């Protein structure tokens, strides 16, 4: 908690108080001017708009496709299912740095560099092996009798999935939504690799640009902390809103392996 408290405290200090020794945790006087100047100093709203779009596409893609893939691995019978699932799990052991260059070459050939597609396209294919694994484990905890009862009542596979299974896995959907939200919101490497146009920068890349422009200028340090505080605020709010489902999803997924 101390880094967060220090961040908020510094964002509310006068420039002359930021590097005072010993430091004051409670600013005196409280200086809100850092937040006011930040809005006019760099295009925070544009970066925020870009970030919200990327995050929205990521979370939407994961929530739609991860349950589909997880349900297929957990409840449907088809040739090669177990072998393919092991292959999916094996991809979790590949470091992201290994696939960085091949993915860049692939997106470059598709003409997607300097667009947002590389930042969210993967989310529409299950959102990664970990999300698929998490959802599959949750689906496997649901009693088979529910599915059989629905079939006796005349429900087809699509109705079983949408009306019975999906509502039951809402906790784990909240969990993967939070994971994806935090990952996409704080992602720095992805925008750094694929985005060239400054007007398309996300918040993480915009803050780095702001830091580079004010490097060595201690008078702008409070403003940088104010921008950083506003950047992490949505993550904290999103986590606390979904905290109940998040903990429930992690707990229930770990009951049966």
């Amino acid at each position: 908690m101390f880094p967060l408290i220090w961040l908020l405290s510094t964002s509310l200090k006068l420039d002359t108080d930021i590097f005072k020794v010993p430091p004051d945790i409670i600013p005196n006087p409280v200086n809100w001017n850092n937040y006011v100047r930040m809005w006019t100093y760099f295009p925070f709203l544009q970066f925020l708009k870009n970030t919200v779009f990327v995050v929205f596409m990521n979370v939407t893609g994961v929530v739609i496709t991860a349950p589909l893939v997880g349900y297929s691995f957990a409840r449907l019978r088809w040739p090669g299912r177990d072998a393919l699932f092991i292959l999916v799990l094996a991809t979790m052991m590949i470091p992201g740095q290994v696939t960085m260059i091949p993915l860049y070459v692939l997106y470059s050939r598709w003409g997607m560099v300097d667009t947002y597609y590389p930042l969210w396209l993967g989310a529409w294919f299950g959102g990664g092996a970990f999300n698929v694994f998490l959802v599959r484990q949750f689906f496997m905890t649901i009693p088979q009798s529910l599915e059989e009862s629905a079939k006796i009542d005349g429900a087809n596979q699509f109705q079983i999935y949408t009306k019975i299974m999906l509502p039951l896995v809402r906790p784990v959907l909240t969990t993967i939504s939070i994971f994806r939200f935090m990952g996409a919101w704080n992602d720095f490497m992805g925008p750094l690799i694929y985005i060239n146009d400054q007007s398309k920068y996300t918040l993480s890349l915009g803050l780095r640009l702001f830091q580079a422009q004010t490097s060595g200028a201690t008078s702008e340090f409070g403003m940088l902390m104010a921008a950083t505080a506003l950047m992490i605020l949505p993550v904290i709010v999103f986590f606390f809103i979904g905290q109940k489902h998040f903990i429930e999803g992690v707990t229930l997924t770990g009951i049966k392996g």
Side-chain angles (χ1 to χ4, degrees):
M1 282 297 292
F2 181 76
L4 181 61
I5 294 172
W6 182 85
L7 169 70
L8 295 175
S9 172
T10 306
S11 69
L12 295 172
K13 287 180 179 177
L14 295 171
D15 295 334
T16 53
D17 294 339
I18 291 177
F19 296 100
K20 191 169 71 174
V21 179
D24 296 326
I25 297 299
I26 301 176
N28 185 24
V30 175
N31 177 35
W32 293 99
N33 195 40
N34 289 329
Y35 287 88
V36 177
R37 288 195 301 144
M38 178 212 66
W39 289 95
T40 57
Y41 197 90
F42 81 119
F44 187 87
L45 275 180
Q46 180 63 43
F47 296 155
L48 178 64
K49 177 183 170 186
N50 299 339
T51 306
V52 168
F53 172 74
V54 172
V55 168
F56 174 78
M57 294 302 293
N58 270 280
V59 173
T60 306
V62 162
V63 169
I64 292 176
T65 60
L68 280 171
V69 181
Y71 182 76
S72 174
F73 279 127
R75 315 295 292 205
L76 302 182
R77 303 287 178 189
W78 43 278
R81 183 194 66 170
D82 294 338
L84 186 58
F85 182 65
I86 292 173
L87 188 63
V88 171
L89 290 184
T91 62
M92 293 171 65
M93 291 181 277
I94 301 175
Q97 292 82 355
V98 174
T99 58
M100 198 176 288
I101 294 177
L103 279 177
Y104 182 84
V105 172
L106 187 67
Y107 285 127
S108 178
R109 289 181 178 176
W110 287 350
M112 292 182 179
V113 174
D114 204 24
T115 71
Y116 294 123
Y117 289 108
L119 304 182
W120 58 261
L121 203 57
W124 288 81
F125 291 90
F130 179 73
N131 288 333
V132 171
F133 169 76
L134 205 61
V135 178
R136 173 189 178 269
Q137 295 305 103
F138 205 98
F139 272 125
M140 292 184 72
T141 64
I142 299 174
Q144 191 72 27
S145 56
L146 274 179
E147 193 173 344
E148 292 171 353
S149 300
K151 286 179 180 176
I152 292 174
D153 291 339
N156 57 38
Q157 198 64 56
F158 181 74
Q159 290 171 324
I160 293 173
Y161 173 72
T162 55
K163 296 184 177 179
I164 297 176
M165 295 298 177
L166 272 185
L168 291 175
V169 299
R170 191 165 47 197
V172 78
L173 294 185
T174 306
T175 302
I176 63 174
S177 299
I178 293 175
F179 282 151
R180 198 68 189 188
F181 179 92
M182 296 175 68
W185 187 273
N186 296 318
D187 184 23
F188 175 76
M189 191 59 72
L192 180 66
I193 293 174
Y194 294 109
I195 302 299
N196 301 321
D197 188 348
Q198 190 172 314
S199 65
K200 297 178 182 175
Y201 279 10
T202 57
L203 273 177
S204 57
L205 208 54
L207 280 180
R208 179 65 186 93
L209 173 70
F210 178 64
Q211 184 191 19
Q213 288 177 344
T214 60
S215 178
T218 56
S219 60
E220 312 298 354
F221 200 74
M223 199 163 48
L224 178 62
M225 292 300 104
T228 306
L230 285 181
M231 179 182 170
I232 66 173
L233 184 62
V235 179
I236 296 174
V237 171
F238 191 74
F239 175 78
F240 279 107
I241 290 176
Q243 185 182 22
K244 178 185 172 185
H245 292 297
F246 174 74
I247 296 173
E248 187 180 356
V250 172
T251 305
L252 292 180
T253 311
I255 288 177
K256 295 182 180 180

